[in-house]
Amino acid sequence: MSDDSIKLISLPKIVDLRGNLSFLEDNNQIPFKIARSYWIYDVPGGEERGGHAYTNSAEFVIPLIGSLQVELYQGDKKQTYTLNTPNKGLYLPKLTWRKVCNFLSGSICLIISDTYYNDCEYIRDFNTYINRWKKEYDDIN
Ligand code: TYD
């Protein structure tokens, strides 16, 4: 299962007086097999992360604690999401340009990826990104 569209995905929430519980599994709640997880935390006020796209990786972003904003481009089409619910995450297909910003103090953001880390798949220049997007998607439409 894979998907070319950005989408918000609600994860199961097992409500319990002892504290709620959410979960995700390979190719079940999220449309890929998990290879890697990383998390962003202790973000100083006003700082931003990201500012790049991946040629091969899809990711799923979960705001475990707090609130943050995700600014995205698929080609030149911009979308902005505010994530602030720990059982709702954002699926980002490969070749999505992303910037993560406006972290509420104390926020922790978990990112699940379908690849191992590989610096070679980063596109860090926006014009290069747009050209790559056109080559990958516009040429076949
Ligand atoms: P990077 O993805 O560039 O973070 P951001 O785009 O938010 O600035 O990663 C920052 C550093 O962390 C970089 O030196 C590579 C390293 N890193 C890993 O070693 N493994 C990982 O899974 C990730 C995401 C980053």
Side-chain angles (χ1 to χ4, degrees):
M1 182 168 53
S2 76
D3 198 322
D4 287 341
S5 307
I6 293 166
K7 58 185 171 191
L8 276 170
I9 298 176
S10 290
L11 299 170
K13 178 177 178 181
I14 313 297
V15 177
D16 193 306
L17 291 175
R18 298 169 301 161
N20 300 332
L21 182 153
S22 292
F23 60 88
L24 54 81
E25 298 169 333
D26 284 341
N27 289 321
N28 199 345
Q29 291 76 23
I30 57 171
F32 59 76
K33 186 162 167 45
I34 298 165
R36 174 168 53 107
S37 309
Y38 60 96
W39 44 101
I40 297 171
Y41 55 100
D42 289 347
V43 179
E47 286 293 344
E48 298 177 348
R49 303 291 316 217
H52 53 70
Y54 303 116
T55 54
N56 295 312
S57 301
E59 290 189 330
F60 187 65
V61 182
I62 309 163
L64 287 185
I65 297 175
S67 172
L68 49 106
Q69 194 173 319
V70 190
E71 291 182 10
L72 305 167
Y73 284 87
Q74 286 198 305
D76 58 8
K77 291 197 187 68
K78 187 179 182 186
Q79 299 183 48
T80 302
Y81 291 85
T82 298
L83 302 181
N84 55 19
T85 308
N87 67 316
K88 195 177 275 188
L90 189 62
Y91 170 72
L92 307 181
K94 71 171 187 173
L95 279 183
T96 301
W97 181 274
R98 85 284 311 278
K99 185 176 87 173
V100 189
C101 55
N102 289 341
F103 287 86
L104 195 67
S105 177
S107 293
I108 300 180
C109 179
L110 175 66
I111 298 113
I112 314 275
S113 172
D114 65 349
T115 63
Y116 292 116
Y117 177 74
N118 178 3
D119 186 61
C120 297
E121 69 151 339
Y122 279 64
I123 305 174
R124 298 185 187 278
D125 173 71
F126 192 69
N127 286 330
T128 307
Y129 164 70
I130 291 291
N131 289 334
R132 177 62 193 265
W133 172 274
K134 285 181 179 157
K135 196 161 164 248
E136 187 95 6
Y137 293 110
D138 290 356
D139 289 357
I140 55 174
N141 292 330

